[in-house]
Amino acid sequence: MIQQILARFPAEKVQDIPLWGGLPLYRLHLPPDVPGK
Amino acid sequence: MPIATASCWSRRGCWALVFVVRPTNGLFLLVFAIPLLRDGRLIRYGLYLLGPGLLYGLYNHAVYGSPWRTGYADIRTDLVSEVFSQHFGFYLWQTLAQCTPLLVALALWGLRPWSWEKLFYALWFAAFLFFYSFWRSGGDRWWWSRFLLPGFPAIFLLAALGLQRVREQWCASAPWRDRRVVALFAAIALVPVWQVYFGWSQHDLWKRNKGHDYYEITQRIEAVVPPHSMVGSVEFTGAFRIYTGLTGYISVFDSTPDLIIEGLQQSVTSTSWSSRGITPTR
């Protein structure tokens, strides 16, 4: 599901949170073709 | 009403509420069908569930619009036959490892002579074993055996029946002179040794303070994202709520992208992260 979210939204990786084996943190942006935007 | 009676009723009420809020406890309906068919009067014990069930239905109606609709998503897509054989073997192996081969052997020994009561115990465990063997998640780490916990009491009860059978067959007179009895009790005495060894070898059970990890992770994320962000995760929404000023949401539901769009359109900065280390595919 997370892969689907990342595929659907423009995202940039912010950093890895080192606990629990390194957790990638992404910032999502609104895609340009969202209805109502 | 005497205080002791009130306390007893409150305990029954709490237990019944805990019972009704987990959908998979519906498996007990299958299990208890046998004793109910043999003695319909046992249904009176199910009446304890009526009050808490009604409360839960009212709550679901208020929150989700229907007493039958719960906070659990539709689980049908999580039941897949592809994982059955691997998960079935995994859960049997974990049952052997965590209950110990001795307890499992006693439980198997206790199945004879066959009776309706033992069929009930066997079905009790089998219902959870078979259901979760179809469950998509699981099958890799020891702690997935938590799914079987509602079925483990049946193993313990069968093992007790096995021990009773041992007593009847081996302990007629002077059992301390019977080497089989001495060996059996020596093995029982060693069970805690195995349990401690098993627990010690699970590093994430003993050697990590997971509660502190939840605090630490949410603090680190709060430090790098803009204030009032919505943060998606698999299992940390409670920690975000308690330890930070951020809003957490669960990122594995099908409705999550809609929630993200709604949040973004409200000019809330949205950040999603994964507790599974998945890298982006785009």
Side-chain angles (χ1 to χ4, degrees):
Chain A
M1 188 54 173
I2 289 165
Q3 282 176 311
Q4 291 172 18
I5 292 171
L6 291 172
R8 190 163 162 182
F9 293 89
E12 57 178 309
K13 189 168 179 178
V14 179
Q15 68 172 75
D16 281 325
I17 306 294
L19 284 173
W20 288 23
L23 306 174
L25 178 69
Y26 301 97
R27 178 163 293 131
L28 304 184
H29 304 284
L30 195 62
D33 57 345
V34 171
K37 178 66 180 176
Chain B
M1 183 183 293
I3 292 174
T5 309
S7 169
C8 190
W9 274 99
S10 65
R11 283 199 298 271
R12 287 169 184 165
C14 289
W15 179 85
L17 186 63
V18 168
F19 188 86
V20 297
V21 298
R22 185 161 172 92
T24 48
N25 281 339
L27 290 169
F28 279 109
L29 287 175
L30 292 175
V31 177
F32 281 95
I34 290 179
L36 276 174
L37 285 173
R38 291 179 62 79
D39 184 358
R41 292 172 302 173
L42 292 172
I43 193 69
R44 65 186 186 276
Y45 295 108
L47 299 179
Y48 291 122
L49 303 175
L50 278 182
L54 189 66
L55 277 177
Y56 189 43
L58 288 171
Y59 172 83
N60 287 331
H61 186 268
V63 177
Y64 304 110
S66 163
W68 314 113
R69 194 168 174 196
T70 72
Y72 286 92
D74 186 348
I75 64 168
R76 281 173 295 187
T77 55
D78 287 310
L79 293 170
V80 289
S81 57
E82 288 82 1
V83 300
F84 178 83
S85 57
Q86 192 265 326
H87 283 193
F88 189 76
F90 170 81
Y91 289 123
L92 281 181
W93 178 250
Q94 286 297 318
T95 299
L96 198 65
Q98 294 182 36
C99 291
T100 72
L102 176 65
L103 198 79
V104 172
L106 280 170
L108 292 173
W109 185 249
L111 284 173
R112 298 287 302 274
W114 190 243
S115 69
W116 281 104
E117 182 190 359
K118 292 168 185 177
L119 174 64
F120 163 65
Y121 291 138
L123 277 178
W124 182 351
F125 176 70
F128 290 90
L129 172 66
F130 275 86
F131 179 83
Y132 282 108
S133 292
F134 285 106
W135 193 253
R136 184 193 301 272
S137 303
D140 51 5
R141 298 295 311 281
W142 66 271
W143 34 255
W144 289 111
S145 57
R146 72 182 190 271
F147 287 153
L148 301 190
L149 283 179
F152 275 171
I155 302 268
F156 304 152
L157 291 167
L158 276 173
L161 290 172
L163 208 55
Q164 186 181 34
R165 194 177 165 210
V166 166
R167 193 185 67 176
E168 288 167 0
Q169 295 193 355
W170 292 358
C171 303
S173 63
W176 56 88
R177 291 180 186 164
D178 188 330
R179 288 182 181 176
R180 295 173 305 177
V181 176
V182 173
L184 175 64
F185 276 84
I188 290 174
L190 286 173
V191 165
V193 176
W194 166 256
Q195 297 285 12
V196 170
Y197 168 76
F198 182 85
W200 186 254
S201 61
Q202 313 302 323
H203 298 273
D204 47 358
L205 179 64
W206 296 104
K207 299 180 178 177
R208 300 201 63 150
N209 184 345
K210 286 186 75 172
H212 184 262
D213 282 0
Y214 278 76
Y215 173 79
E216 185 80 8
I217 284 169
T218 50
Q219 293 297 301
R220 291 193 187 196
I221 287 174
E222 188 179 35
V224 294
V225 302
H228 311 299
S229 289
M230 290 172 61
V231 183
S233 67
V234 175
E235 54 183 301
F236 295 88
T237 51
F240 279 118
R241 185 180 179 85
I242 293 170
Y243 302 131
T244 73
L246 306 171
T247 301
Y249 63 88
I250 299 175
S251 58
V252 294
F253 290 145
D254 290 340
S255 57
T256 301
D258 299 330
L259 180 70
I260 293 171
I261 290 171
E262 192 178 325
L264 286 166
Q265 286 178 335
Q266 290 173 7
S267 300
V268 176
T269 304
S270 179
T271 311
S272 180
W273 63 287
S274 154
S275 72
R276 293 175 182 166
I278 296 170
T279 52
T281 54
R282 53 188 294 278

